[in-house]
Amino acid sequence: MSFINTKNSNGVLTIAIDRLAQKNALSLEMYKDLTSALMMAEKDDAIKVAVIKGDTTCFTAGNDLNDFLKGGSLTEAHPTVIFLRALVSFSKPLIASVAGPAIGIGTTLLMHCDLVYSADNAVFQLPFSKLGLCPEAASSAILPKLTGRVKAFELLVLGNKFSADDALQFGLVNDVVSPEELNEKVESVALQIAQLPTLSVRASKGLIIDSQKESINEVISHELKYFEQLLGSDECKAIIAGFFKR
């Protein structure tokens, strides 16, 4: 079964992560389905905007580590890498709806969304150093621009959890509402965008992001080299082995 559900309505494609028993942890197959959903939205002229969401208790706890480790080298053919490239190249507005845990990729993918709305129960974390790894998804370049260098170092290296209000202060999210209000808030904004002149919206996004795409993709490639080296290190292997024992 697929754990990525899509719904197309009124020009809005909603992409829902639905694997709550595993806290919406992303498997390689789920990455493939997320990429397929973005590609479908890209090609369908009737779709004006895409929304990525979990539910009101959980966005995603990050990678399914056991499955991720079976995926082989982090080449351009790896499902996770393909998804990251699709995120960067996506030319239509992308909105994130975040509640509950947003861990690892659950936080870094938000840096590639055009609007991010959070419930006040959201918990963000970038625990890469705790796992013996390094930043991913160009977060090493994007986050310092949002928060400043010293705060970015704190978030990416100490890797402590932070709240929705913190994320708002850092410029990572646009607004914080209650879990009960989140879906209505995001749907309202998505419909508002869908009703705007299509060419104008896409031109505006292009002007905001296109000049940065090449450098973002270069950063992703640079991070991947370090990430793969660290993934094969004895230190990282020991940490991950301990994680599975717990």
Side-chain angles (χ1 to χ4, degrees):
M1 64 175 292
S2 175
F3 295 106
I4 303 297
N5 301 322
T6 59
K7 177 185 176 183
N8 186 357
S9 176
N10 297 315
V12 179
L13 180 70
T14 301
I15 306 166
I17 307 168
D18 185 15
R19 195 190 183 199
L20 282 174
Q22 288 77 32
K23 296 184 179 179
N24 285 348
L26 298 176
S27 67
L28 298 179
E29 197 62 35
M30 291 166 73
Y31 275 117
K32 292 178 183 178
D33 290 343
L34 286 169
T35 301
S36 294
L38 289 177
M39 292 177 66
M40 177 178 69
E42 190 74 70
K43 294 175 182 177
D44 188 342
D45 290 339
I47 295 173
K48 310 298 183 182
V49 57
V51 173
I52 185 166
K53 59 181 288 187
D55 84 337
T56 56
T57 64
C58 183
F59 185 56
T60 172
N63 284 321
D64 180 331
L65 280 176
N66 191 41
D67 189 65
F68 180 81
L69 293 172
K70 298 174 183 176
S73 298
L74 291 170
T75 67
E76 293 298 323
H78 193 284
T80 306
V81 179
I82 294 172
F83 171 66
L84 292 178
R85 300 301 192 196
L87 266 182
V88 176
S89 66
F90 192 64
S91 66
K92 297 180 181 180
L94 180 61
I95 305 174
S97 175
V98 185
I103 311 301
I105 188 69
T107 294
T108 58
L109 77 82
L110 304 179
M111 301 177 199
H112 300 278
C113 295
D114 302 294
L115 292 167
V116 181
Y117 294 96
S118 173
D120 57 21
N121 67 346
V123 178
F124 304 85
Q125 189 178 22
L126 299 160
F128 305 117
S129 293
K130 293 175 183 288
L131 293 170
L133 296 169
C134 67
E136 38 130 78
S139 57
S140 62
I142 298 172
L143 193 60
K145 291 180 179 179
L146 290 175
T147 67
R149 174 179 168 176
V150 295
K151 178 57 71 173
F153 187 93
E154 176 187 328
L155 298 176
L156 288 166
V157 177
L158 292 181
N160 295 326
K161 295 177 181 178
F162 57 98
S163 70
D165 287 336
D166 291 331
L168 181 63
Q169 179 184 343
F170 300 154
L172 189 62
V173 307
N174 292 85
D175 197 7
V176 178
V177 298
S178 71
E180 295 77 19
E181 296 172 305
L182 183 61
N183 285 334
E184 183 178 349
K185 173 71 174 182
V186 172
E187 288 172 9
S188 174
V189 174
L191 287 172
Q192 183 180 350
I193 293 175
Q195 292 165 7
L196 291 171
T198 302
L199 294 179
S200 172
V201 171
R202 294 188 68 172
S204 297
K205 173 165 179 171
L207 289 166
I208 292 167
I209 194 65
D210 281 356
S211 64
Q212 304 171 48
K213 284 184 179 180
E214 184 176 350
S215 62
I216 287 173
N217 275 317
E218 287 177 357
V219 172
I220 289 174
S221 297
H222 196 52
E223 289 173 343
L224 286 170
K225 291 177 184 177
Y226 280 101
F227 200 96
E228 181 147 39
Q229 290 173 10
L230 291 167
L231 200 58
S233 70
D234 292 339
E235 189 175 45
C236 179
K237 287 178 180 177
I239 293 170
I240 291 175
F243 175 83
F244 286 132
K245 285 180 182 179
R246 292 197 299 272

